[in-house]
Amino acid sequence: MGLINRLTNIVQRLDHIIPMILGRHPPPDQMCCLATFEGYHAPVPSKQFSVKDFIGDGILWGVPKHRKTIEKRLKNRYGTPGLSSKMIPEKTHLRVCNSCGNHYEVGVLCPTCYENIRKETEIMQEKIKQELKMSPVENEVVVLYDGEKAEQPDEFWRGKRIIEMEKPRPKWFSKNLMQKSTQKPATTAAVKPDELC
């Protein structure tokens, strides 16, 4: 309640002071001279002036009364030395890719490796479309790079659809990705740990 009373007193004082400053009303009787002369007529106020007419729908905000020191201004702008820096925050979530050596953020794939795999996959898909066209694929499709067909005997490739790429295999593209799993499929859905002590 004390704050509301103070604001009310300030607004009432402004109602009396602002008309005097702007010259809309004559000063109060205590401040004017008693000397008058013939022909002088006191101006008649047309309407009562109030602060609401002067401000309108605006809001009176608090204004800082003291200037901030340069130390506080620099701390607000750049942060506190040794504690925090607002200009260049330190990044601690970067990692180096083991394959290509480029930096990437934690929680995402390496963008360089992903782009290489995407381009190589598009080339493989185009080659498969050219070789197989629209015919149905009943047999296993194998993608081979230069020199890989001679590693296995001809009987190994019998009954398979072979797609040959006219370039060497990229270093990052392992042969194990194309191999089938050597483990037998599980007969039960329950997962139990083995060889417990």
Side-chain angles (χ1 to χ4, degrees), residues 36-171:
T36 59
F37 56 93
E38 293 181 16
Y40 173 75
H41 300 286
V44 179
S46 58
K47 80 172 197 180
Q48 187 69 22
F49 179 81
S50 68
V51 177
K52 190 173 182 181
D53 297 336
F54 181 69
I55 297 175
D57 295 333
I59 299 173
L60 290 172
W61 295 100
V63 179
K65 295 182 179 178
H66 303 287
R67 186 167 178 261
K68 281 187 178 180
T69 62
I70 186 67
E71 182 182 8
K72 286 187 179 179
R73 279 184 281 153
L74 290 176
K75 279 184 181 180
N76 290 341
R77 189 178 301 169
Y78 301 114
T80 307
L83 296 177
S84 63
S85 175
K86 292 184 180 179
M87 295 296 290
I88 306 173
E90 183 179 348
K91 290 192 174 183
T92 58
H93 64 289
L94 297 179
R95 299 290 181 267
V96 179
C97 180
N98 294 332
S99 300
C100 63
N102 290 316
H103 294 81
Y104 66 98
E105 295 181 5
V106 174
V108 298
L109 296 172
C110 174
T112 309
C113 293
Y114 181 80
E115 185 66 20
N116 292 339
I117 293 169
R118 187 187 63 79
K119 289 178 181 176
E120 189 68 23
T121 306
E122 286 180 358
I123 295 171
M124 289 171 69
Q125 289 173 348
E126 288 296 323
K127 192 72 174 174
I128 290 172
K129 284 180 187 177
Q130 290 174 4
E131 293 287 332
L132 302 181
K133 298 186 173 49
M134 298 298 288
S135 59
V137 180
E138 297 88 7
N139 301 334
E140 181 184 351
V141 177
V142 180
V143 178
L144 295 177
Y145 288 86
D146 278 345
E148 292 182 352
K149 192 170 183 181
E151 295 176 1
Q152 299 286 345
D154 293 337
E155 293 81 21
F156 180 80
W157 306 114
R158 198 169 293 150
K160 298 178 182 178
R161 303 288 296 270
I162 297 174
I163 307 297
E164 294 187 10
M165 306 288 289
E166 291 85 7
K167 62 177 186 175
R169 180 182 289 272
K171 294 180 181 178

Side-chain angles (χ1 to χ4, degrees), residues 1-66:
M1 289 299 291
L3 182 63
I4 296 173
N5 291 337
R6 287 181 189 171
L7 289 174
T8 307
N9 291 337
I10 291 171
V11 171
Q12 288 174 355
R13 288 180 191 165
L14 285 173
D15 277 341
H16 295 295
I17 294 172
I18 291 178
M20 288 179 12
I21 294 171
L22 298 177
R24 299 204 178 178
H25 295 298
D29 295 336
Q30 299 168 354
M31 298 179 65
C32 46
C33 296
L34 298 174
T36 59
F37 56 93
E38 293 181 16
Y40 173 75
H41 300 286
V44 179
S46 58
K47 80 172 197 180
Q48 187 69 22
F49 179 81
S50 68
V51 177
K52 190 173 182 181
D53 297 336
F54 181 69
I55 297 175
D57 295 333
I59 299 173
L60 290 172
W61 295 100
V63 179
K65 295 182 179 178
H66 303 287

Side-chain angles (χ1 to χ4, degrees), residues 170-183:
K171 294 180 181 178
W172 48 264
F173 189 42
S174 174
K175 293 182 182 179
N176 295 336
L177 297 176
M178 304 298 289
Q179 291 178 357
K180 292 185 176 181
S181 174
T182 56
Q183 296 179 351

